[in-house]
């Protein structure tokens, strides 16, 4: 099993390679309309409905040269993959291999495309695919000035880029010097954060908000929890050792959080959940430059 200390040590060593690389793709790479482009140069049409109306979904991550969780929420939004699944998989592998990126946040974005749903037949809409790769990597506060968008407005089980509530929450939490906002429903129940789920540990029991099944987690429980951590596909298990300026578990990562962290990252090396990228094979094939598929 991957220990927390070993995991972070390996990550630190691997970060030296992209920092030393002269390739613009090592700093991030995108695939748009069949062409590989450095992240900083990526562009999408102004009238793409993903940009205009946040009509899109996205997914997953890479850890130590392996893809983890390769699936999307397209079905619930009635989005169609514009390419076969295996071709999408190969594009993602090629992107990572071209940049030599071993640890990254991979964002496979599927948008509605250039046609609005209003006044257009579903079969005439061509959905667009925008994979993106970039490097990613606490303290938290409970937001008071903004509440989470209710699940009756936006289905929280669908990954989306609607951050109209999350961005103000991030500004609020940064004012006192914290990093992560915990948003509520306005009725003293926790909802979630800016791209992560909230998990509380109390007397060995885990609590996490789930408004879809009407399971409420009171804010008060967060202040009395033995441990607090956040979870997300890309970031994994992120311990919270300070909440509203007060230490959680004496300011230390708790044993339950650490055990879950170790198990989660060990899954990244399990072939049942991930697959290895052939970087050297890609280099032999000469795919480290720009170009179309």
């Amino acid at each position: 099993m991957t220990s927390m200390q070993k995991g972070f040590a390996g990550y630190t060593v691997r970060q030296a390679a992209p920092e030393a690389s002269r390739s613009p793709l090592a700093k991030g790479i995108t695939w748009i309309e069949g062409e590989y482009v450095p992240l900083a140069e990526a562009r999408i049409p102004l009238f793409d409905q993903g940009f205009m109306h946040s009509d899109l979904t996205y997914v997953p991550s890479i850890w130590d040269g392996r893809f983890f969780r390769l699936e999307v929420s397209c079905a619930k939004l009635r989005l169609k993959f514009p390419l076969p699944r295996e071709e999408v998989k190969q594009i993602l592998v090629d992107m990572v291999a071209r940049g030599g990126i071993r640890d990254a946040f991979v964002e496979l974005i599927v948008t509605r495309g250039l046609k609005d749903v209003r006044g257009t037949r579903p079969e005439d809409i061509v959905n667009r695919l925008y994979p993106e790769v970039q490097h990613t990597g606490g303290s938290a506060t409970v937001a008071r000035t903004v509440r989470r968008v209710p699940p009756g407005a936006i289905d929280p089980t669908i990954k989306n880029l609607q951050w109209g509530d999350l961005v103000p929450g991030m500004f609020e939490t940064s004012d006192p010097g914290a990093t992560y906002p915990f948003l509520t429903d306005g009725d003293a129940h926790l909802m979630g954060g800016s791209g992560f789920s909230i998990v509380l540990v109390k007397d060995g029991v885990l609590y996490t908000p789930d408004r879809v099944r009407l399971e409420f987690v009171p804010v008060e429980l967060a202040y009395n929890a033995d441990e607090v951590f956040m979870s997300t596909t890309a970031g994994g298990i992120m311990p919270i050792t300070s909440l509203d300026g007060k230490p959680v578990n004496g300011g230390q990562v708790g044993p339950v959080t650490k055990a879950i962290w170790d198990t989660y990252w060990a899954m990244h090396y399990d072939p049942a959940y991930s697959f290895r990228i052939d970087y050297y094979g890609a280099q032999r094939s000469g795919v480290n430059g720009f170009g179309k598929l």
Side-chain angles (χ1 to χ4, degrees):
M1 181 177 294
T2 305
S3 69
M4 183 175 286
Q5 292 80 5
K6 182 179 178 181
F8 277 121
Y11 174 78
T12 300
V13 172
R14 292 193 300 273
Q15 289 309 288
E19 291 298 327
S21 175
R22 295 182 179 180
S23 170
L25 301 182
K27 307 300 181 183
I29 177 174
T30 63
W31 179 93
I32 298 179
E33 298 294 331
E35 188 171 0
Y36 296 100
V37 183
L39 179 61
E41 300 175 16
R43 303 290 186 271
I44 66 171
L46 180 63
F47 289 104
D48 190 300
Q49 295 302 301
F51 171 75
M52 296 292 290
H53 296 143
S54 191
D55 193 358
L56 52 77
T57 188
Y58 70 96
V59 21
S61 69
I62 293 177
W63 177 257
D64 195 10
R66 302 182 72 99
F67 266 111
F68 183 68
R69 262 193 84 188
L70 189 63
E71 75 262 355
V72 294
S73 305
C74 286
K76 290 186 177 181
L77 288 177
R78 298 177 68 178
L79 288 168
K80 298 171 292 185
F81 257 31
L83 298 172
R85 181 182 176 84
E86 284 303 310
E87 187 173 342
V88 172
K89 177 180 176 180
Q90 189 57 52
I91 290 171
L92 293 172
V93 170
D94 287 347
M95 289 171 63
V96 176
R98 285 168 183 262
I101 302 171
R102 301 198 65 86
D103 301 283
F105 176 71
V106 180
E107 198 165 61
L108 174 59
I109 304 174
V110 181
T111 75
R112 188 71 59 190
L114 296 177
K115 291 187 177 181
D116 194 347
V117 173
R118 184 186 299 113
T120 305
R121 295 183 303 172
E123 60 268 27
D124 292 335
I125 297 176
V126 178
N127 300 149
R128 295 202 167 194
L129 181 67
Y130 302 110
E132 173 185 341
V133 181
Q134 64 182 46
H135 293 293
T136 59
S139 56
T141 63
V142 176
R144 270 80 174 177
T145 63
V146 61
R147 66 180 64 180
R148 191 74 172 99
V149 171
I154 297 178
D155 186 346
T157 66
I158 300 175
K159 289 184 176 294
N160 64 82
L161 297 180
Q162 190 293 118
W163 281 47
D165 50 350
L166 301 178
V167 171
M170 293 170 68
F171 277 121
E172 180 184 329
T173 202
S174 68
D175 288 340
T179 306
Y180 303 105
F182 286 4
L183 273 65
T184 73
D185 60 358
D187 294 319
H189 301 116
L190 289 174
M191 290 286 286
S194 50
F196 54 81
S197 299
I198 302 168
V199 183
L200 311 178
V201 182
K202 182 65 178 179
D203 297 328
V205 179
L206 274 64
Y207 299 86
T208 188
D210 189 347
R211 288 297 299 269
V212 177
R213 295 201 301 260
L214 298 181
E215 295 178 3
F216 299 100
V217 176
V219 172
E220 190 63 27
L221 181 60
Y223 295 118
N224 296 310
D226 300 323
E227 303 176 37
V228 178
F229 66 87
M230 308 177 307
S231 65
T232 177
T233 302
I237 308 303
M238 300 177 286
I240 292 296
T241 55
S242 173
L243 181 62
D244 282 349
K246 298 181 179 179
V248 177
N249 190 44
Q252 303 297 316
V253 177
V256 175
T257 302
K258 186 178 183 302
I260 294 175
W261 193 101
D262 290 345
T263 302
Y264 173 83
W265 287 110
M267 291 172 65
H268 286 63
Y269 297 92
D270 188 333
Y273 302 101
S274 67
F275 63 88
R276 181 170 294 280
I277 297 169
D278 183 5
Y279 290 88
Y280 300 107
Q283 291 171 1
R284 288 194 300 271
S285 300
V287 297
N288 278 327
F290 303 96
K292 292 181 177 290
L293 283 175

